[in-house]
Amino acid sequence: MLFTSLVSLFLLASPALAQGDISAAHNLTSLVGTWSSGSRNVVTGPGFANPNNRTFIYPPTAGVSYSFTGDGFFESARYRFNGNATDPHCITGVMVWIHGEYTLNDNSSMTLMPFSDGYQQVQDPCAAESNFIEQYNSSELYQSWRIFQDLQDGYKLHLFQFDGSPVAPLFLVSEEPNMLPTRPLRNDTPSFVAQSLIKTNDAASASWTPGGIVSLASTLLTVAVGAFVL
Ligand SMILES: *[C@@H]1O[C@H](CO)[C@@H](O)[C@H](O)[C@H]1NC(C)=O
Ligand SMILES: *[C@@H]1O[C@H](CO)[C@@H](O)[C@H](O)[C@H]1NC(C)=O
Ligand SMILES: *[C@@H]1O[C@H](CO)[C@@H](O)[C@H](O)[C@H]1NC(C)=O
Ligand SMILES: *[C@@H]1O[C@H](CO)[C@@H](O)[C@H](O)[C@H]1NC(C)=O
Ligand SMILES: *[C@@H]1O[C@H](CO)[C@@H](O)[C@H](O)[C@H]1NC(C)=O
């Protein structure tokens, strides 16, 4: 794919830019602000997640968003669909919200270290448990990141995951980071981990209807064609 070859080209052309002597490619504009993919419907902040009661506000389309502050905090919001090769009707919808601290490493990678109040909702119409919410607390390593200026869309942030696969290109939607308070927002005790599966089957009907699945299928197709990881 064209994008894949562009990515390889980029990876070859930029051997380990040291973060210490940050190049123009990295700070064409500041990382600080809110970035959102595609139709920009997924945006971090109070319009996406209510960590106090672990609910989500579902955006109209899938996508991904990251916000960064100048003093080392990040927030990330993701809404994606996973296909099922065996049964094309079994599309899984996943919402993920995390926030915490980020580090720009010397080997030009970026590490996200979430506070322990992150959570995800998984909706899988074909699974025994079709809808559940669980804690999400994995730190994430991005192999590299780069900001471009797109003539049409303005500043564009590319993040590459640890395995080199690109996150969908992110566009700057606000220079002011749109984020929830940058501190742990729940007082989780370790016992939550043991009982992290909260059944929310009642809530499922609102956002997971058979009609919805048809439009999910076309969204999935778009995602697949784009070959980006949301
Ligand atoms: C990029 O980094 C250089 C060196 O740290 C700094 O002087 C410049 O203001 C930065 N540019 C932007 C747009 O942040
Ligand atoms: C969760 O919290 C948000 C924000 O406080 C509120 O608007 C929403 O109604 C709550 N949802 C549930 C299911 O309690
Ligand atoms: C795909 O769907 C089948 C049911 O048709 C299910 O048994 C299987 O676990 C699903 N696979 C994944 C990866 O979700
Ligand atoms: C880059 O640095 C990070 C943080 O120190 C580390 O976790 C990662 O493994 C390093 N990556 C490579 C390719 O060395
Ligand atoms: C969540 O991850 C952070 C960073 O890896 C760790 O400090 C914290 O103990 C974890 N919390 C839980 C409940 O696992």
Side-chain angles (χ1 to χ4, degrees), residues 26-27 29-35 67-69 102 104 110 145 147 157 159 172:
H26 277 86
N27 76 340
T29 187
S30 171
L31 190 60
V32 174
T34 293
W35 303 82
S67 286
F68 300 96
T69 68
Y102 73 95
L104 304 179
M110 182 194 297
W145 58 279
I147 295 170
L157 170 64
L159 293 173
L172 188 62

Side-chain angles (χ1 to χ4, degrees), residues 175-194:
E175 287 178 20
E176 268 302 304
N178 185 46
M179 297 165 77
L180 290 166
T182 55
R183 54 180 164 78
L185 298 175
R186 285 179 70 95
N187 223 354
D188 278 322
T189 55
S191 69
F192 176 74
V193 180

Side-chain angles (χ1 to χ4, degrees), residues 82-92 124 126-127:
N82 297 331
N84 182 325
T86 319
D87 188 341
H89 299 291
C90 295
I91 298 163
T92 307
D124 180 351
C126 302

